Amino acid sequence: MNNGGTALVCGAGGFIGGHLARRLKQDGWSVHGVDIASPAWGALPIDTFTIGDLRDPAVCRSVIDRRFDEVYQLAADMGGAGYIFTGDNDAAIMRNSALINLNVLEACRLAGCERVFFSSSACVYPRHHQHDADSADCVEASAYPADPDSEYGWEKLFCERLYLAFNRNHGMRNRIARFHNVFGPYGAWTDGREKVPAAICRKVAEARDGGEIEVWGDGEQLRSFLYVDECVEGMLRLMRTPDFEGPVNIGSDRPVTINRLVDMVCEIAGKRLTRRHVPGPTGVRARNSDNTLIRERLGWAPSQPLQTGLAATYEWIAAQVEAVRADAAPAAPASTMLAAGKAQSAAAPVAAV
Ligand code: NAD
Ligand code: GDD
């Protein structure tokens, strides 16, 4: 599909950006990455990797110096409930992510890059649609009248409008997806930005059989979780659809409670653990992806069972926990990523701007 083009991945050092960059390379693209930090999981097998701060317009213009066929904008100040729902990081999240989007988008316009993918979030949906399982409504049109439950969600909503305004006023063909809790190997798992799938995998891996693990809240919060490979597949499909800009959900429409998630990870690990419910940032009570629109417009929707992605994620996180315990070098990549990395073995040259 579309082999041989040039792509820029902003935020390539991060979780979804890293998976996307590898996939594009495997598909035969010329792939360029930029991030404020080196990839946490080691050098990426792509064409170039630039270290630069995308809040700076001059950096954006120097990295976006030509007409890339596709630009994927995944750079953001983001994290799970422990990062975005405490309130402590609100100013940083809004300022950092808004500056990145304003500057990347303008640099793309100036360089003639028509097609920019913007990664919005399920956090844009109003809180009153997410009080309980019965009222959980993440139909795209329900985002207005707006009332997101976090400043992170408000910044995403503003930027959705920004990308759409550039489509209307500057003839761009930007694409917008609202991701629903994406998980997989190489995501944040221990730095305070981890989301619940990674947090629970870590806690289960660290616990001794027969012990207990802490769960924030009563564990009856409802979420749907999307494995990163399916997220990347959805992004590529949306980017290349000729006549649909979004916003559209990219998420699983099979929700589980956090308690059920804990049980699934325990089953994968072969451990019997007791849940200890403790106070913590919980966010909305119930959230699920509505996949009617994506099915209609892309003829596709995520379908993989949660169990499959969770097993690969647990394997990777358990290896990280073991490596930390042994005070050894980071563990070898999980089997899924070894397979993904086969096509390219050389790492990208790293430049800084
Ligand atoms: P991530 O934190 O792993 O990746 C974001 C990357 O952006 C990081 O590598 C970070 O270093 C980089 N970055 C931050 N500030 C920068 C700056 N000033 N200049 C250059 N790079 C900078 O997050 P992710 O999970 O890969 O998320 C990617 C995108 O998808 C984000 O926009 C996020 O808001 C969105 N999203 C993710 C999820 C999810 O569940 N992972 C859900 C909804 C939306
Ligand atoms: N992170 C975390 N860690 N969450 C826990 C834990 C834990 O140890 N124990 C229970 N939870 C609960 C949280 O309290 C919350 O109710 C639920 O698990 C989900 O938490 P997260 O996965 O951290 O975040 P989220 O689903 O509320 O929001 C995430 O997904 C959005 C898209 O759907 C965030 O990553 C957002 O940034 C993202 O946009």
Coordinates of all heavy atoms in Angstrom, one line a residue, residues 78-82 84-85 121-123 152 179-181 194-197 199-200 203 214-216 221 223 225 258 281-284 287, ligand 2:
M78 N 2.0 13.7 27.4 CA 0.9 12.8 27.8 C 1.2 11.7 28.7 O 2.4 11.4 29.0 CB 0.2 12.3 26.5 CG 0.9 11.1 25.8 SD 0.4 9.5 26.6 CE -1.2 9.3 26.0
G79 N 0.2 11.1 29.3 CA 0.4 10.0 30.2 C -0.9 9.4 30.6 O -2.0 9.8 30.1
G80 N -0.9 8.4 31.5 CA -2.1 7.8 32.0 C -2.8 8.6 33.1 O -2.4 9.8 33.3
A81 N -3.8 8.0 33.8 CA -4.5 8.7 34.8 C -3.6 9.4 35.9 O -3.9 10.4 36.4 CB -5.5 7.7 35.5
G82 N -2.5 8.7 36.2 CA -1.6 9.2 37.2 C -0.9 10.5 36.8 O -0.3 11.2 37.6
I84 N -2.4 12.7 33.9 CA -3.3 13.7 33.4 C -4.5 14.0 34.3 O -5.1 15.1 34.1 CB -3.8 13.3 32.0 CG1 -4.7 12.1 32.0 CG2 -2.7 13.2 31.0 CD1 -5.4 11.9 30.7
F85 N -4.8 13.2 35.3 CA -5.9 13.5 36.1 C -5.6 14.0 37.5 O -6.5 14.2 38.3 CB -6.8 12.2 36.3 CG -7.4 11.7 35.0 CD1 -7.4 10.4 34.7 CD2 -8.0 12.6 34.1 CE1 -8.0 10.0 33.5 CE2 -8.6 12.2 32.9 CZ -8.5 10.9 32.6
S121 N -7.8 12.2 21.2 CA -8.0 11.2 22.2 C -9.5 11.0 22.6 O -10.3 12.0 22.5 CB -7.2 11.7 23.5 OG -7.7 11.0 24.6
A122 N -9.8 9.9 23.2 CA -11.1 9.6 23.7 C -11.4 10.6 24.9 O -12.5 10.8 25.3 CB -11.2 8.2 24.2
C123 N -10.3 11.2 25.4 CA -10.5 12.2 26.5 C -11.2 13.5 26.1 O -11.5 14.3 26.9 CB -9.1 12.6 27.1 SG -8.4 11.2 28.1
Y152 N -6.0 18.0 29.4 CA -5.5 17.2 28.3 C -6.5 17.0 27.2 O -6.3 17.2 26.0 CB -5.0 15.8 28.8 CG -4.7 14.8 27.8 CD1 -3.4 14.8 27.2 CD2 -5.6 13.8 27.5 CE1 -3.1 13.8 26.3 CE2 -5.2 12.8 26.6 CZ -4.0 12.8 26.0 OH -3.7 11.8 25.1
F179 N -7.8 8.2 19.7 CA -7.3 6.9 20.2 C -8.0 6.6 21.5 O -8.2 7.5 22.4 CB -5.8 6.9 20.4 CG -5.0 7.1 19.2 CD1 -3.7 7.5 19.3 CD2 -5.5 6.7 17.9 CE1 -2.9 7.7 18.1 CE2 -4.7 6.9 16.8 CZ -3.4 7.3 16.9
H180 N -8.3 5.4 21.7 CA -8.8 4.9 23.0 C -7.8 4.0 23.7 O -7.5 2.9 23.1 CB -10.1 4.1 22.8 CG -11.3 5.0 22.4 ND1 -12.4 5.1 23.2 CD2 -11.5 5.7 21.3 CE1 -13.3 5.9 22.6 NE2 -12.8 6.3 21.5
N181 N -7.2 4.4 24.8 CA -6.3 3.6 25.6 C -5.5 2.5 24.8 O -5.9 1.4 24.8 CB -7.0 3.0 26.8 CG -6.0 2.9 28.0 OD1 -4.9 2.5 27.8 ND2 -6.5 3.2 29.2
E194 N 2.6 5.7 33.0 CA 2.0 4.5 32.5 C 0.5 4.4 32.6 O -0.1 4.9 33.6 CB 2.7 3.3 33.1 CG 2.4 3.1 34.6 CD 3.4 3.9 35.5 OE1 4.1 4.8 35.0 OE2 3.4 3.7 36.7
K195 N -0.2 3.8 31.6 CA -1.6 3.6 31.7 C -1.9 2.3 32.4 O -1.0 1.5 32.6 CB -2.2 3.7 30.3 CG -2.1 5.1 29.7 CD -2.4 5.2 28.2 CE -1.2 4.8 27.5 NZ -1.2 3.6 26.7
V196 N -3.2 2.0 32.6 CA -3.5 0.9 33.5 C -3.0 -0.5 32.9 O -2.6 -1.3 33.7 CB -5.0 0.9 33.9 CG1 -5.9 0.5 32.7 CG2 -5.2 0.0 35.1
P197 N -3.1 -0.8 31.6 CA -2.6 -2.1 31.2 C -1.1 -2.4 31.6 O -0.8 -3.4 32.2 CB -2.8 -2.1 29.7 CG -3.8 -1.1 29.4 CD -3.6 0.0 30.4
A199 N 0.6 -0.7 33.9 CA 0.7 -0.6 35.4 C 0.4 -2.0 36.0 O 1.1 -2.5 36.9 CB -0.2 0.5 36.0
I200 N -0.7 -2.5 35.5 CA -1.1 -3.8 36.1 C -0.2 -4.9 35.7 O 0.2 -5.8 36.6 CB -2.6 -4.2 35.7 CG1 -3.6 -3.1 36.2 CG2 -3.0 -5.6 36.2 CD1 -3.6 -2.9 37.7
K203 N 2.7 -4.5 38.1 CA 2.4 -4.9 39.5 C 2.3 -6.4 39.6 O 2.8 -7.0 40.6 CB 1.1 -4.2 39.9 CG 1.3 -2.7 40.1 CD 0.0 -2.1 40.5 CE 0.1 -0.5 40.6 NZ -1.2 0.1 41.0
E214 N -2.0 -3.4 44.3 CA -2.9 -2.2 44.5 C -3.6 -1.9 43.2 O -3.0 -1.8 42.2 CB -2.0 -1.0 45.0 CG -1.6 -1.1 46.4 CD -0.9 0.1 46.9 OE1 -0.7 1.1 46.1 OE2 -0.6 0.2 48.1
V215 N -4.9 -1.5 43.4 CA -5.7 -1.1 42.2 C -6.3 0.2 42.6 O -6.9 0.3 43.7 CB -6.8 -2.1 41.9 CG1 -7.6 -1.6 40.7 CG2 -6.1 -3.4 41.5
W216 N -6.2 1.3 41.8 CA -6.8 2.6 42.1 C -8.3 2.5 42.0 O -8.8 2.0 40.9 CB -6.3 3.7 41.2 CG -4.8 3.9 41.3 CD1 -3.9 3.4 42.3 CD2 -4.0 4.6 40.4 NE1 -2.7 3.8 42.0 CE2 -2.7 4.5 40.9 CE3 -4.2 5.3 39.2 CZ2 -1.6 5.1 40.2 CZ3 -3.2 5.9 38.5 CH2 -1.9 5.8 39.0
Q221 N -14.2 0.7 37.3 CA -14.1 1.6 36.1 C -14.1 0.8 34.9 O -13.4 -0.3 34.8 CB -12.9 2.5 36.2 CG -12.7 3.2 37.5 CD -11.8 2.5 38.5 OE1 -12.1 1.4 38.9 NE2 -10.6 3.1 38.8
R223 N -13.2 0.4 30.8 CA -12.4 0.9 29.7 C -12.3 -0.1 28.6 O -12.4 -1.3 28.8 CB -10.9 1.2 30.1 CG -10.7 2.3 31.1 CD -11.0 3.7 30.6 NE -10.7 4.8 31.5 CZ -11.4 5.2 32.5 NH1 -12.6 4.6 32.7 NH2 -11.1 6.2 33.3
F225 N -9.4 -1.3 25.6 CA -8.0 -1.2 25.3 C -7.7 -1.7 23.9 O -8.2 -2.7 23.5 CB -7.3 -2.1 26.4 CG -7.6 -1.6 27.8 CD1 -8.4 -2.4 28.6 CD2 -7.0 -0.5 28.3 CE1 -8.7 -2.0 29.9 CE2 -7.3 -0.1 29.6 CZ -8.2 -0.8 30.4
I258 N -11.6 -2.7 35.2 CA -10.2 -2.8 35.6 C -10.0 -4.1 36.4 O -9.0 -4.8 36.3 CB -9.8 -1.6 36.4 CG1 -10.1 -0.3 35.6 CG2 -8.3 -1.7 36.8 CD1 -9.5 -0.2 34.2
P281 N -6.2 8.6 41.2 CA -6.9 9.3 40.2 C -7.7 8.3 39.3 O -7.1 7.4 38.8 CB -5.8 10.0 39.4 CG -4.6 9.3 39.7 CD -4.8 8.6 41.1
T282 N -9.0 8.5 39.1 CA -9.7 7.4 38.4 C -10.3 7.9 37.1 O -10.7 7.1 36.2 CB -10.9 6.9 39.3 OG1 -11.7 8.0 39.7 CG2 -10.4 6.1 40.4
G283 N -10.4 9.3 36.9 CA -11.0 9.8 35.6 C -12.4 9.4 35.5 O -13.1 9.1 36.5
V284 N -12.9 9.3 34.2 CA -14.3 9.0 34.0 C -14.6 7.5 34.5 O -13.7 6.7 34.5 CB -14.8 9.2 32.6 CG1 -14.6 10.6 32.2 CG2 -14.0 8.2 31.6
R287 N -15.9 4.2 29.8 CA -15.6 4.7 28.5 C -15.4 3.5 27.5 O -14.8 2.5 27.9 CB -14.3 5.5 28.5 CG -13.8 6.0 27.2 CD -12.5 6.8 27.3 NE -12.8 8.1 27.9 CZ -11.9 8.8 28.6 NH1 -10.7 8.2 28.8 NH2 -12.1 10.0 29.0
Ligands
GDD2 N1 -2.5 4.3 35.4 C1 -3.1 3.5 36.3 N2 -2.3 2.8 37.2 N3 -4.5 3.4 36.3 C2 -5.0 2.6 37.2 C3 -4.3 1.8 38.2 C4 -2.9 1.9 38.1 O1 -2.1 1.3 38.9 N4 -5.1 1.1 38.9 C5 -6.4 1.4 38.5 N5 -6.3 2.3 37.5 C6 -7.5 2.9 36.8 C7 -7.5 4.4 36.8 O2 -7.8 4.9 38.0 C8 -8.5 4.7 35.7 O3 -9.8 4.7 36.3 C9 -8.4 3.5 34.8 O4 -7.5 2.5 35.5 C10 -7.7 3.8 33.4 O5 -6.5 4.5 33.7 P1 -5.4 4.9 32.6 O6 -5.2 3.7 31.7 O7 -4.2 5.4 33.3 O8 -6.1 6.1 31.9 P2 -7.5 6.4 31.1 O9 -8.1 5.2 30.4 O10 -8.4 7.1 32.1 O11 -7.0 7.5 30.1 C11 -6.0 7.1 29.1 O12 -6.6 6.8 27.9 C12 -7.0 7.9 27.1 C13 -7.6 7.5 25.8 O13 -8.6 6.6 26.0 C14 -4.9 8.1 29.1 O14 -3.7 7.5 28.5 C15 -5.2 9.3 28.2 O15 -4.0 10.0 28.1 C16 -5.7 8.8 26.9 O16 -6.0 9.9 26.1

